[in-house]
Amino acid sequence: MARRLTCPYCYETFTGREIAFRCNSRLTRTQKRCVRRRDQVLADRMGQRGEVGPVFTADGRASTAVCPDCDGETTFRICPVCHSTLPAQFGMVENRMIAMVGAKASGKTVYTTVLLHEMMNRVGSAFGASLVGADDATMQRFHADYHEHLFRDGQMFAGTRTAVTNDNRVDPLVFRFGLRRRSLLGERPQHTVLSFFDTAGEDFNSRENMELNTRYLANADGIVLLLDPLQMAGARPLARPGTALPGTEGVDTPYHVVSRVTNLLLAREDAGRRARFAGRRAAPRIDTPVAVVFTKLDAFWHLLDKGSPLRAHPPSGDRFDEEDSLSVHEEVRTLIKDWDGVPIDRLLENTYSRYRYFGISALGHSPTADARVARTGIQPYRVTDPLLWLLGEYGAVPRTGRR
Ligand SMILES: Nc1nc2c(ncn2[C@@H]2O[C@H](COP(=O)(O)OP(=O)(O)OP(=O)(O)O)[C@@H](O)[C@H]2O)c(=O)[nH]1
Ligand SMILES: [Mg+2]
Ligand SMILES: [Zn+2]
Ligand SMILES: [Zn+2]
C-alpha cells in the first residue's frame, strides 16, 4: 500500500500520486492563458475566496505537470482535498503535524507565539536551525495576529475563536524547519514541514465540539498538551500572591482535558487495531508522542528548591539534552503530586507509550492587571524544550545524554 501523506492545512490523508496541480495562469508559448476564478473547494474548506488558476490532476509524485488546457507547466502542487498549495518538496521531506491542545486560557496562544519566536531567534541560532512560514498566509497571520500583538504591542490575546464559528475548521500555521546536519558527505540541510494548530479551549470542553478536532488530533504526529496548574485545585492556593488566577466557571480541569484527548485517541487506535488483528484484544496504547506541558511556572518558582532543574535554564548547545529533560520530567511528576495531579500521572502512565513532562513559562512573569506584558518584558523560560523533544523523537534534531 502506498504511504499516505497528511495535508498540513486540513490534516486529511492521501497518496503522493493523488496530489493535484494548479495552473499558474500565465501566457504560454502556445499563446493560451487559463482564466483565474474562485476555487469553491478552497473557499469552502479554507475560507480563501481569491481568484486562482484552475485545478487539474496528473501524477502528483512529479514536481511539475503540464496543464491540459493551456499547455503551461506548473510547479503548484495542491492538496486534493482542500486545494491548499502544498509546501515545496512536500512528500519528499518529512512532514510533521503538531497539535497544541489545552483548556480555555491555559496559555496556548501565548505559548505558540513565544515558542515560534524563540525557534526563529535565540534557540534557532544555537541549533543552526531556521524556521520560516511555508506560505504567505502563515507569514502574515503569524506576524500580525501573533507576533506583533504580543512582542510589539505587549498585549495578551482574546480567546481563540472556536472552530464552530469558523466554518468548523482550524487554521494551522505551517512552517519549514531547516537544520544543517553534518554527515559523511559534508553539511547538508534537512527540512521538516511543521504544522501547528492552536485550538480554542472551549473546543475541548464538550464532546460535540471536541469531535471537530478529531481528525486533527488523530492525524497529528505529536501532541503538545498544555495544562495550567492555576486551573488545578491543589495548585491554585500555592500560586505566588498577586498572580492573576483564571476563572474556573465552565472550564474543564486539566484531568478532564487529558481524559478527553485520551478517549479520542484511544477510539482511533482501537478502530485501527480491530481492523488489523481481528479478534485479538490487547490493552490499547497510544504511541503518538505527547509533550505534557505545565504552563505559567513563574507563579510557582518561589516554592521550588534552589537546586530544582525547574529553576534553571536548559544547558545551552546544539543538541537536545536528554538527561536534563528527564530530570525535569521527574521533578514535574513530583510537583504535580502536590497539585492533585496523581490521576493525570496514572492515566498517562497506563495509556501512553511515549509521553514526557515539561514545565515552562512563556512570559516569565504574570501579565499586568490590564492584560499586558509586565514591565520587565517577555522572559521565556524552557519554552522550546517540548518542541525539541518531539523533533528529537522524529530524528529531526540531534540529542545528547542517556536515552
Ligand atoms: N503567569 C503567566 N500567565 C500566563 C502565561 N502565559 C499566559 N498567561 C495568562 O493566561 C492567559 C491566557 O493565555 P492564552 O494563551 O490566550 O490562552 P489560550 O489557551 O490560548 O486560551 P483560549 O484561546 O481561550 O483557549 C493570558 O492572557 C495570561 O493572563 C505565563 O507564561 N505566565
Ligand atoms: Mg488561544
Ligand atoms: Zn492552464
Ligand atoms: Zn488539505
Side-chain angles (χ1 to χ4, degrees):
M1 210 169 75
R3 186 163 72 100
R4 291 192 79 77
L5 305 167
T6 306
C7 170
Y9 296 93
C10 69
Y11 287 50
E12 300 274 8
T13 64
F14 43 84
T15 63
R17 188 195 290 269
E18 288 167 335
I19 292 173
F21 290 86
R22 185 184 300 290
C23 175
N24 60 22
S25 306
R26 291 208 194 99
L27 191 62
T28 62
R29 273 179 309 175
T30 50
Q31 300 299 305
K32 285 188 261 188
R33 187 205 298 264
C34 282
V35 187
R36 290 172 187 262
R37 291 208 170 83
R38 173 188 291 184
D39 177 335
Q40 203 53 48
V41 176
L42 205 52
D44 291 345
R45 302 232 17 164
M46 305 306 291
Q48 290 173 24
R49 296 174 211 289
E51 293 187 340
V52 287
V55 170
F56 63 94
T57 52
D59 185 346
R61 291 169 300 182
S63 53
T64 64
V66 173
C67 172
D69 292 331
C70 68
D71 314 316
E73 187 173 66
T74 182
T75 54
F76 294 133
R77 296 159 81 231
I78 63 167
C79 165
V81 184
C82 73
H83 288 189
S84 293
T85 305
L86 295 167
Q89 293 181 295
F90 179 82
M92 296 156 222
V93 298
E94 291 293 341
N95 187 36
R96 302 292 182 180
M97 260 62 62
I98 295 174
M100 201 76 72
V101 299
K104 188 144 194 64
S106 53
K108 298 176 296 294
T109 303
V110 169
Y111 177 63
T112 305
T113 311
V114 178
L115 167 67
L116 294 171
H117 174 89
E118 287 288 283
M119 290 299 292
M120 289 171 182
N121 296 283
R122 200 175 52 79
V123 177
S125 56
F127 274 74
S130 61
L131 190 71
V132 286
D135 59 274
D136 292 346
T138 292
M139 281 189 277
Q140 280 158 14
R141 265 176 64 222
F142 178 68
H143 188 69
D145 300 351
Y146 291 74
H147 196 264
E148 301 240 292
H149 190 84
L150 185 68
F151 281 87
R152 189 196 59 194
D153 306 338
Q155 290 189 344
M156 296 298 121
F157 299 92
T160 301
R161 195 148 73 119
T162 155
V164 179
T165 62
N166 194 29
D167 299 334
N168 286 347
R169 61 163 208 274
V170 297
D171 295 319
L173 293 165
V174 183
F175 292 88
R176 278 166 67 81
F177 173 76
L179 194 62
R180 288 185 304 275
R181 297 298 291 264
R182 279 183 293 270
S183 73
L184 292 173
L185 303 171
E187 275 205 343
R188 64 190 173 83
Q190 178 186 319
H191 287 282
T192 309
V193 174
L194 294 178
S195 166
F196 292 91
F197 82 93
D198 169 23
T199 53
E202 58 262 47
D203 288 352
F204 288 88
N205 276 1
S206 73
R207 214 188 138 76
E208 305 84 79
N209 283 359
M210 180 128 180
E211 258 145 35
L212 288 173
N213 288 300
T214 303
R215 181 175 75 247
Y216 293 91
L217 272 185
N219 289 335
D221 299 292
I223 294 175
V224 178
L225 183 58
L226 260 56
L227 302 179
D228 180 358
L230 299 174
Q231 294 173 349
M232 294 170 78
R236 276 170 85 89
L238 304 175
R240 192 217 307 266
T243 304
L245 293 178
T248 47
E249 191 70 28
V251 177
D252 254 350
T253 64
Y255 176 69
H256 275 112
V257 173
V258 182
S259 315
R260 279 224 175 80
V261 169
T262 305
N263 290 343
L264 190 150
L265 292 172
L266 277 180
R268 259 302 164 102
E269 298 258 329
D270 216 26
R273 199 174 299 266
R274 269 203 300 275
R276 272 180 279 132
F277 319 94
R280 244 187 300 157
R281 272 198 84 84
R285 279 219 165 217
I286 297 165
D287 15 271
T288 310
V290 181
V292 183
V293 181
F294 288 87
T295 56
K296 311 184 188 177
L297 226 62
D298 51 274
F300 299 94
W301 280 330
H302 64 292
L303 298 173
L304 303 177
D305 288 344
K306 279 231 164 54
S308 166
L310 283 175
R311 298 260 316 232
H313 283 281
S316 57
D318 59 358
R319 289 165 174 267
F320 177 71
D321 197 304
E322 185 69 14
E323 194 162 345
D324 168 68
S325 170
L326 286 171
S327 63
V328 166
H329 175 79
E330 288 308 330
E331 177 80 352
V332 171
R333 171 172 283 154
T334 311
L335 261 185
I336 64 175
K337 294 206 170 117
D338 295 338
W339 295 347
D340 299 339
V342 174
I344 297 180
D345 188 51
R346 203 168 301 140
L347 182 60
L348 292 167
E349 187 58 37
N350 290 337
T351 3
Y352 291 84
S353 48
R354 284 196 279 175
Y355 73 95
R356 175 82 48 100
Y357 289 125
F358 298 88
I360 63 122
S361 167
L363 300 172
H365 298 271
S366 200
T368 62
D370 59 346
R372 301 185 57 83
V373 168
R375 250 188 312 127
T376 39
I378 299 171
Q379 297 180 328
Y381 170 81
R382 285 194 176 272
V383 291
T384 55
D385 292 5
L387 180 62
L388 293 172
W389 174 69
L390 284 172
L391 290 170
E393 289 289 296
Y394 310 142
V397 304
R399 317 191 246 206
T400 170
R402 89 189 137 96
R403 282 244 36 216

